[in-house]
Amino acid sequence: MPSTPVDLEKRRRTLRWVVFLSTAALIFDGYDLVVYGTVVPVLLSDPDQLGALTPGQAGTLGSYALLGVLVGALAAGAVGDRIGRRKVMLVNLAWFSVGMAITATTQSVATFGAFRFLTGVGVGALVATVGALVAEFAPPGQRNRYNAIVYSGIPAGGVLAALTAITLGDSLGWRGLFWIGALPIVVLLPLALRFLPESPKWLVARGRYADAEAAQIRTGIPVPDPEPVVEDKVGFPALASRRFRLPTALLGMMSFAGLLLTYGLNTWLPQIMGDQGYGKNYSLTFLLVLNLAAIGGGLIASFVADRIGAKRVVASTFVLASLALAALPLSMPAAVLFLAVALAGVGTIGTQVLIYGLVSNYYPTSARAAGVAWCAGFGRLGGIVGPIIGGVLVGAGVGGSTAFQLFAGISLLGALVTTMVPRSSHFERPATDLAQDGDRSTVAA
């Protein structure tokens, strides 16, 4: 049945709410990621905060949240394709907020690490669920850009954390910075309860056709035709099927590389630059540039990905990161140095934004949440390794040059793995292909 003007307006309004709530949730994920990097220098220099802390211990402490993210992402993938995207989002908005609030009150390294882990569980579940949710609401031919908009919330949260630390860090202290991360439970959760719908595609995939039709009346989102279930498997078992086994491994390796670079740089860039003679605010400005460039560059790259395909763009941005990171240890004017940091942000954090979009469109609905969860969860192992590598190198006194060169090599490996990912019949075709088939009206919807 053709959509009426009322249905189209409902659909646009629903999409706006889904994108807004998903982006806002990931802004706080990005804030959590970067706020720890902004307080590391304080925790290292002042043992009265949590106790004596070495650089190696700080790197390990930074990985506790990522272990939680791994657990949360895999847990969300295990249940998200069975109980729905909405329930997972609501529960973990509250979980994440409570974790941040309790972390702000801790008094020792052990309790700080424990609640960083528990907070990470909520973060991981959100990251794993958002990609599936947005992919199922976004119009065909525009899914990469909508995923990029939403996942740009992560570097946007990094920008928020850096700006807050620069402007309010001295007055709020590190505990105040963590209290800010608890705001979703009072500003986002009530809105999500009211305006976040369940995915009609998921309802159809679970055989709940009456609920999907009721959702269409409320949201204007048309009820899709059922997709064939992959070998009668749902969630993680589908990823392990013969059809998806190889691409699942390769996509996980891509995310591993992307998140190793993202977390390694966000955790240690201020400290490395400080060791090279830059003042505190100057070092935090590098962090700001890194994440701002990731937002702008990731959005531009997503438009290109919708035209020519995400796989080509991801491989190219990995190579861009390698070149920029290899240049960072070189002596260069400040303007050129900031440009290199910006390009590194596009090629690392921006690349990870594109990877989430690629993965969320790679799998069918019956395995989409599990696919994104696998990518977010396994990738977080790279996020755990990144801060530890930085901590070991800084503690050994070899610092920036070696770390940047190592990260550049990992970027090249990420590009190589990307080129090996096979095409999937469920993978969204580029907009140029759709247009050539005469489907321009769908692309422009």
Side-chain angles (χ1 to χ4, degrees):
M1 179 182 295
S3 296
T4 67
V6 173
D7 290 335
L8 291 174
E9 178 56 33
K10 286 181 180 179
R11 182 175 184 177
R12 285 192 289 266
R13 184 169 62 248
T14 299
L15 180 59
R16 285 195 293 267
W17 273 113
V18 169
V19 171
F20 167 74
L21 291 169
S22 300
T23 305
L26 292 191
I27 284 174
F28 283 96
D29 173 25
Y31 181 91
D32 172 73
L33 159 65
V34 174
V35 76
Y36 178 69
T38 68
V39 305
V40 162
V42 174
L43 299 180
L44 286 173
S45 62
D46 187 358
D48 291 335
Q49 300 299 322
L50 294 174
L53 200 63
T54 67
Q57 290 172 327
T60 303
L61 196 62
S63 71
Y64 288 172
L66 305 184
L67 284 171
V69 171
L70 169 63
V71 172
L74 295 180
V79 302
D81 287 318
R82 297 184 182 277
I83 70 171
R85 295 36 169 139
R86 185 175 187 271
K87 291 179 182 176
V88 176
M89 286 281 289
L90 295 176
V91 168
N92 287 284
L93 276 171
W95 184 304
F96 163 81
S97 302
V98 172
M100 287 291 282
I102 297 177
T103 302
T105 68
T106 55
Q107 301 293 327
S108 69
V109 171
T111 54
F112 181 88
F115 283 103
R116 288 290 289 158
F117 170 83
L118 292 174
T119 302
V121 172
V123 172
L126 289 173
V127 172
T129 305
V130 160
L133 185 71
V134 173
E136 291 166 9
F137 279 95
Q142 299 182 24
R143 289 174 183 162
N144 281 298
R145 71 191 70 176
Y146 275 106
N147 268 281
I149 290 170
V150 168
Y151 278 102
S152 289
I154 296 176
V159 171
L160 176 63
L163 285 174
T164 305
I166 291 171
T167 58
L168 300 175
D170 291 337
S171 57
L172 291 179
W174 72 266
R175 297 183 188 278
L177 295 177
F178 274 83
W179 273 110
I180 291 175
L183 288 176
I185 199 169
V186 294
V187 298
L188 288 185
L189 185 59
L191 292 174
L193 284 166
R194 173 68 177 84
F195 295 109
L196 184 68
E198 185 53 88
S199 162
K201 279 191 175 182
W202 177 80
L203 292 170
V204 169
R206 300 302 293 166
R208 294 169 55 178
Y209 301 107
D211 291 337
E213 290 173 357
Q216 178 180 3
I217 295 173
R218 293 193 306 272
T219 66
I221 304 294
V223 177
D225 295 328
E227 294 178 353
V229 177
V230 183
E231 301 179 9
D232 297 324
K233 296 179 179 179
V234 177
F236 285 120
L239 304 190
S241 67
R242 183 173 61 180
R243 184 177 187 179
F244 286 118
R245 192 177 301 142
L246 174 62
T248 294
L250 294 172
L251 291 167
M253 292 169 64
M254 288 165 55
S255 187
F256 181 96
L259 286 169
L260 185 154
L261 298 168
T262 296
Y263 279 78
L265 286 174
N266 271 306
T267 299
W268 287 108
L269 187 63
Q271 186 69 31
I272 290 173
M273 290 305 188
D275 291 344
Q276 293 182 0
Y278 297 96
K280 176 184 174 182
N281 284 349
Y282 216 102
S283 297
L284 289 174
T285 303
F286 284 116
L287 203 59
L288 187 62
V289 170
L290 185 82
N291 285 277
L292 277 174
I295 296 171
L299 289 174
I300 293 171
S302 72
F303 278 83
V304 180
D306 276 329
R307 304 299 300 172
I308 68 173
K311 177 179 165 180
R312 298 179 191 175
V313 179
V314 169
S316 300
T317 52
F318 263 132
V319 172
L320 177 66
S322 180
L323 296 174
L325 289 166
L328 283 180
L330 303 177
S331 178
M332 61 184 77
V336 180
L337 180 60
F338 275 114
L339 176 61
V341 171
L343 293 177
V346 175
T348 56
I349 306 170
T351 294
Q352 186 61 32
V353 167
L354 295 171
I355 289 172
Y356 283 128
L358 190 158
V359 172
S360 63
N361 291 308
Y362 195 90
Y363 295 100
T365 303
S366 59
R368 182 170 289 119
V372 179
W374 159 255
C375 204
F378 184 78
R380 248 49 180 205
L381 292 176
I384 293 166
V385 171
I388 292 175
I389 289 175
V392 169
L393 294 176
V394 171
V398 295
S401 296
T402 304
F404 289 143
Q405 290 165 2
L406 180 60
F407 289 156
I410 292 169
S411 298
L412 279 182
L413 290 176
L416 177 63
V417 170
T418 303
T419 63
M420 298 167 62
V421 176
R423 187 177 181 87
S424 167
S425 60
H426 292 280
F427 188 70
E428 180 170 291
R429 299 162 63 190
T432 48
D433 291 350
L434 292 172
Q436 287 170 3
D437 287 347
D439 199 12
R440 297 177 185 273
S441 61
T442 300
V443 175

